[in-house]
């Protein structure tokens, strides 16, 4: 269903979008500055990929702390409603493992995003060569990529909003399980008026919140 982001969600999307635009802009300006008027356009290096990942991770950790604490509070209410002691509970934290895993994942995201940008640059250079554009005209066309590829920025930023929100919810419940020694489950509810056969097959499936409804490669 169509979803209008809340102010909190939109701020996160805007913050991440800004980092992605900066990376794209640096890549375009580097191509112009180096006079790379051919199709041999390099992607970002490991250092720049790590820089982009760290900048995005800072926003993600802050966002996860807020979203995770909300789920954590809901989980405590769930435990209390079932007369389960909550003396060992505290407050939600983003674990070191989650941060490390997210950092590694974001480095790959930055590299993949860079490859897409490089491909856009190559396409513009190829078109410019066919049209006989000079360096200044090519530079103008290259900078227009910032507008024509804005959809990529939005796609990635929204994906990370969903991913980090879901991850924080799972981590919050996982933390409660560890603190209280209680197993917490999730159940797949199919609520569409006309669900596909796959969602129908999953309806009612029950798993620990830390487990996947389907293993990778499962069917």
């Amino acid at each position: 269903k169509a979803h209008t982001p809340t102010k909190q969600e939109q701020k996160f999307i805007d913050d991440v979008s800004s980092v992605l635009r900066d990376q794209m802009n640096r890549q375009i300006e580097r191509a112009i500055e180096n006079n790379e008027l051919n199709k041999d356009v390099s992607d970002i290096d490991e250092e720049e990929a790590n820089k982009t990942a760290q900048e995005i991770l800072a926003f993600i950790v802050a966002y996860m702390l807020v979203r995770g604490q909300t789920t954590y509070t809901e989980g405590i209410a769930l435990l209390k409603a079932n007369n389960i002691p909550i003396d060992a509970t505290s407050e939600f934290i983003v674990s070191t493992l989650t941060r490390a895993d997210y950092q590694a994942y974001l480095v790959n995201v930055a590299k993949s995003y860079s490859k897409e940008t490089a491909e856009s640059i190559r396409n513009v250079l190829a078109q410019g060569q066919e049209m006989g554009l000079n360096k200044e005209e090519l530079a103008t066309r290259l900078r227009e990529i910032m507008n024509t590829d804005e959809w990529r920025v939005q796609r990635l930023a929204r994906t990370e909003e969903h991913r980090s929100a879901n991850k924080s919810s799972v981590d919050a419940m996982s933390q409660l399980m560890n603190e209280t020694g209680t197993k917490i489950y999730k159940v797949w509810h199919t609520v569409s008026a006309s669900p596909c056969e796959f969602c129908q097959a999953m309806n009612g499936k029950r798993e620990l919140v830390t487990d996947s409804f389907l293993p990778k490669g499962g069917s």
Side-chain angles (χ1 to χ4, degrees):
K1 296 180 180 179
H3 171 66
T4 301
T6 64
K7 288 183 179 180
Q8 184 185 66
E9 291 168 348
Q10 190 59 55
K11 183 180 185 309
F12 174 88
I13 291 169
D14 291 343
D15 288 340
V16 173
S17 294
S18 178
V19 176
L20 294 171
R21 288 191 198 98
D22 286 346
Q23 177 183 310
M24 187 192 299
N25 184 62
R26 287 194 301 270
Q27 204 168 344
I28 291 170
E29 291 301 321
R30 188 164 56 246
I32 295 172
E33 181 182 353
N34 294 341
N35 195 24
E36 294 177 350
L37 306 184
N38 54 62
K39 297 180 183 180
D40 185 21
V41 180
S42 61
D43 303 325
I44 63 172
D45 57 22
E46 195 75 25
E47 183 179 350
E48 188 168 359
N50 274 292
K51 179 178 183 294
T52 297
Q54 288 169 2
E55 290 177 352
I56 295 176
L57 184 62
F59 293 122
I60 283 177
V61 170
Y63 188 65
M64 288 183 70
L65 282 170
V66 175
R67 294 297 296 263
Q69 186 57 46
T70 298
T71 302
Y72 188 85
T73 301
E74 292 170 351
I76 288 178
L78 179 67
L79 293 170
K80 289 172 67 176
N82 286 275
N83 299 314
I84 297 171
I86 59 170
D87 299 340
T89 61
S90 53
E91 60 181 4
F92 175 70
I93 62 169
V94 179
S95 70
T96 301
L97 179 59
T98 291
R99 290 173 188 249
D101 286 346
Y102 231 123
Q103 169 73 15
Y105 159 77
L106 289 171
V107 167
N108 289 329
V109 168
K111 289 179 178 178
S112 175
Y113 178 70
S114 168
K115 289 180 180 178
E116 291 179 356
T117 300
E119 186 59 33
S120 294
I121 292 173
R122 291 187 190 99
N123 290 337
V124 170
L125 292 175
Q127 292 169 7
Q129 193 172 44
E130 290 179 6
M131 298 169 65
L133 300 181
N134 60 36
K135 182 179 178 180
E136 289 71 25
E137 291 170 329
L138 271 175
T140 298
R141 292 292 182 94
L142 287 170
R143 291 188 176 111
E144 288 175 356
I145 292 174
M146 295 293 296
N147 296 322
T148 58
D149 281 24
E150 175 64 17
W151 65 272
R152 289 199 296 121
V153 172
Q154 292 298 314
R155 178 198 65 191
L156 266 174
R158 291 175 185 275
T159 295
E160 293 317 313
E161 189 279 317
H162 293 315
R163 178 183 170 86
S164 57
N166 290 337
K167 177 62 176 169
S168 64
S169 293
V170 170
D171 282 5
M173 289 299 186
S174 177
Q175 183 178 326
L176 283 172
M177 287 202 300
N178 291 333
E179 290 173 342
T180 64
T182 303
K183 291 182 178 180
I184 303 176
Y185 293 85
K186 58 188 177 185
V187 180
W188 184 296
H189 292 288
T190 300
V191 296
S192 169
S194 55
C196 70
E197 60 181 298
F198 304 107
C199 282
Q200 289 183 54
M202 294 290 288
N203 194 41
K205 187 173 176 61
R206 181 173 180 264
E207 296 285 351
L208 279 172
V209 293
T210 51
D211 293 342
S212 299
F213 281 111
L214 280 173
K216 186 176 182 179
S219 62

